[in-house]
Amino acid sequence: MMLPSQFKEENSKNIRIYHYVEELVGSYKEFMNKNSGEDEIPLSYLPFLLRIRFSNNTTQKDLTKLFNVSKGYTARLLKNFEDCGWITREENPDNHREKIVNLTDKGMKKTNEIIKKVDQWEDMVTSSLSDTEVMILKKLLFDVVVEADKI
């Protein structure tokens, strides 16, 4: 990946957060594409599968809203995950119109593989930082994400 010419240390304070995020996302996508096997799921599916992994009793409706996609897209994606044996969809006992989505053991194994790659990328992009700097960076990013959620 080639950084735009504006990315110089003396200019670092003038670069918008958006541009940093854009470059990080690009780096992540490039890494994941280079390090995926033939049987790997499309990169666009990863956020859904990981969100299911780290959410308790998330619903199909929650995923549609969170990722701002159509109900049909979410249903097709989840059907694909079901066909792969990665998830189950069960009726919500409190609301029979909702489906609760959970990972299967096979889905846990798949997300473990994905997380290993994500951790590998994260270790690479933070390799010049100390453990303390990585902790500070994560805290600052957390604070920014919390504020962004209020918008």
Side-chain angles (χ1 to χ4, degrees):
M1 191 169 100
M2 187 170 168
L3 286 176
S5 61
Q6 75 203 54
F7 279 84
K8 295 185 174 106
E9 191 161 352
E10 64 269 12
N11 194 30
S12 64
K13 293 178 184 172
N14 298 320
I15 299 171
R16 288 175 173 75
I17 293 171
Y18 164 83
H19 290 110
Y20 286 116
V21 171
E22 188 177 62
E23 293 302 321
L24 286 170
V25 169
S27 168
Y28 167 79
K29 286 180 178 180
E30 187 175 316
F31 176 83
M32 293 301 274
N33 284 330
K34 282 182 183 176
N35 293 285
S36 63
E38 289 181 19
D39 66 334
E40 204 63 48
I41 65 173
L43 199 54
S44 61
Y45 290 11
L46 297 184
F48 276 84
L49 201 54
L50 290 175
R51 184 61 64 148
I52 295 165
R53 162 79 184 254
F54 294 109
S55 298
N56 289 327
N57 293 323
T58 194
T59 66
Q60 192 167 325
K61 182 179 177 181
D62 294 337
L63 293 168
T64 298
K65 185 177 178 184
L66 175 71
F67 290 106
N68 195 26
V69 294
S70 71
K71 292 177 185 178
Y73 178 83
T74 304
R76 285 189 302 278
L77 185 63
L78 294 179
K79 175 72 170 114
N80 185 307
F81 289 172
E82 267 182 325
D83 291 347
C84 291
W86 297 332
I87 66 159
T88 59
R89 287 188 280 185
E90 299 167 8
E91 193 174 277
N92 183 347
D94 298 328
N95 180 350
H96 299 291
R97 294 175 23 189
E98 285 185 341
K99 297 286 186 180
I100 296 175
V101 182
N102 289 301
L103 287 181
T104 63
D105 289 341
K106 190 174 179 182
M108 289 294 283
K109 183 179 177 192
K110 187 64 170 174
T111 56
N112 285 340
E113 293 169 13
I114 295 165
I115 291 165
K116 187 176 179 180
K117 288 180 188 175
V118 170
D119 288 345
Q120 192 178 15
W121 174 81
E122 187 175 304
D123 289 344
M124 290 171 67
V125 299
T126 60
S127 64
S128 66
L129 303 176
S130 69
D131 290 345
T132 300
E133 288 170 324
V134 171
M135 286 174 34
I136 291 168
L137 175 62
K138 287 184 177 186
K139 171 64 173 117
L140 292 171
L141 289 171
F142 175 84
D143 292 345
V144 170
V145 169
V146 167
E147 288 304 313
D149 189 51
K150 295 176 182 177
I151 297 174

